[in-house]
């Protein structure tokens, strides 16, 4: 185990160490930071678990959306007429919060683990400019998140066609500009999920604790804003949770 950790540390140092003099140093070091973070994130405990959760929540969102007839319920998005052109991507409205929570948790864990394991000290020794390390992690996490939203969108669309028949929903309107509809929905969905991730990234960077970031982020976005909305719905219009929920739903 000690040998494995030493080899991983050496790999990370080689990935971020400047390899050329003069003007190319910044570019090489920045790309090295991104590559190093991508290597660290490509492991079963991170990407594997994340992908399983994305698939599970995407399937669950699609099934619940079509069983509920397009009304996903409070806080889960905007009610959609499943027989309209937007029906093919209706499940993404409900999946926004679910997969957003996954993104917030994984982004927070990725940032906080650097401090809890002492990895950040090793990285700073190789690249003292911390903004490059943070930028490299941000780009790597964004890349994995974009892949996850592509998978979620593909599942949502495929399940829409599979569930429409059993649910007695006409798909006649879906064929009109379906590519543009799917791309637009994916873009909105991706922006919302990235927003969740950035919140987890920021809170974990400040608190240096994954527990604080995950519990605080989810507690605020899902519980506090929900309770506040019950007391005064207009008060939550511009709060992060409401805004991200609306973006995911295309609103």
């Amino acid at each position: 185990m000690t040998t494995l950790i030493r080899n991983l540390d050496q790999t990370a140092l080689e990935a971020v160490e400047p390899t050329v003099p003069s003007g190319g140093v910044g570019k090489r070091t920045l790309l090295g930071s991104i590559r190093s973070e991508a290597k660290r994130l490509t492991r079963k405990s991170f990407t594997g678990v994340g992908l399983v959760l994305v698939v599970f929540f995407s399937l669950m969102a699609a099934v619940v959306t079509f069983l509920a007839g397009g009304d996903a319920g409070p806080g889960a998005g905007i009610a959609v007429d499943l027989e309209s052109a937007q029906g093919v991507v209706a499940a993404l409205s409900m999946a926004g919060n679910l997969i957003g929570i996954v993104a917030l948790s994984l982004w927070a864990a990725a940032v906080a683990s650097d401090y809890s394991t002492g990895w950040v000290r090793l990285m700073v020794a190789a690249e003292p400019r911390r903004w490059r390390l943070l930028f490299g992690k941000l780009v790597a996490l964004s890349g994995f998140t974009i892949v996850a939203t592509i998978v979620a969108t593909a599942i949502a669309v495929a399940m829409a066609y599979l569930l429409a028949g059993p649910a007695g929903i006409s798909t006649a309107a879906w064929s009109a500009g379906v590519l543009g509809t799917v791309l637009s929905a994916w873009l909105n969905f991706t922006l919302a999920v990235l927003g969740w991730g950035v919140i987890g990234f920021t809170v974990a960077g400040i608190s240096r604790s994954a527990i604080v970031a995950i519990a605080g982020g989810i507690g605020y976005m899902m519980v506090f804003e929900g309770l506040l909305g019950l007391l005064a719905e207009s008060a939550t219009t511009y709060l992060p949770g409401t805004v991200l929920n609306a973006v995911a739903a295309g609103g």
Side-chain angles (χ1 to χ4, degrees):
M1 179 62 71
T2 302
T3 303
L4 176 60
I5 295 175
R6 188 180 299 113
N7 290 337
L8 290 173
D9 293 348
Q10 182 62 34
T11 300
L13 283 172
E14 292 174 355
V16 299
E17 184 179 4
T19 55
V20 296
S22 71
V25 172
K27 182 178 179 181
R28 288 296 183 86
T29 305
L30 188 57
L31 291 177
S33 298
I34 298 173
R35 185 170 62 250
S36 174
E37 291 300 330
K39 286 182 179 179
R40 291 184 58 216
L41 296 177
T42 308
R43 59 183 188 272
K44 291 182 179 179
S45 60
F46 188 87
T47 54
V49 172
L51 184 59
V52 169
L53 290 174
V54 167
V55 171
F56 173 74
F57 285 134
S58 298
L59 291 171
M60 185 177 72
V63 172
V64 172
T65 296
F66 279 83
L67 289 179
D71 185 3
I78 299 173
V80 177
D81 179 4
L82 296 180
E83 294 190 347
S84 69
Q86 296 297 320
V88 68
V89 291
L92 290 181
S93 174
M94 182 176 183
N97 281 348
L98 298 174
I99 296 180
I101 291 173
V102 175
L104 183 149
S105 302
L106 292 180
W107 283 47
V111 174
S113 64
D114 288 350
Y115 295 97
S116 62
T117 61
W119 184 270
V120 68
R121 292 193 293 271
L122 174 66
M123 300 299 290
V124 170
E127 172 50 79
R129 286 161 289 195
R130 292 199 178 192
W131 73 266
R132 284 184 172 170
L133 297 177
L134 290 175
F135 182 77
K137 184 180 290 293
L138 184 64
V139 171
L141 287 168
S142 297
F144 282 102
T145 301
I146 290 172
V147 172
T149 59
I150 292 174
V151 172
T153 302
I155 292 174
V157 173
M159 290 299 294
Y161 281 102
L162 289 175
L163 295 172
I169 295 169
S170 172
T171 62
W174 292 7
S175 58
V178 63
L179 181 58
T181 299
V182 172
L183 288 177
S184 178
W186 168 78
L187 178 59
N188 291 327
F189 178 67
T190 300
L191 290 175
V193 175
L194 287 174
W196 279 87
V198 169
I199 290 174
F201 185 97
T202 303
V203 177
I206 295 173
S207 66
R208 301 186 179 184
S209 169
I211 295 177
V212 171
I214 296 171
I218 295 176
Y220 170 80
M221 302 276 277
M222 301 296 293
V223 180
F224 174 78
E225 287 195 18
L227 293 175
L228 184 60
L230 293 176
L231 298 176
E233 186 176 355
S234 60
T236 65
T237 303
Y238 300 105
L239 294 181
T242 304
V243 171
L244 293 178
N245 186 48
V247 171

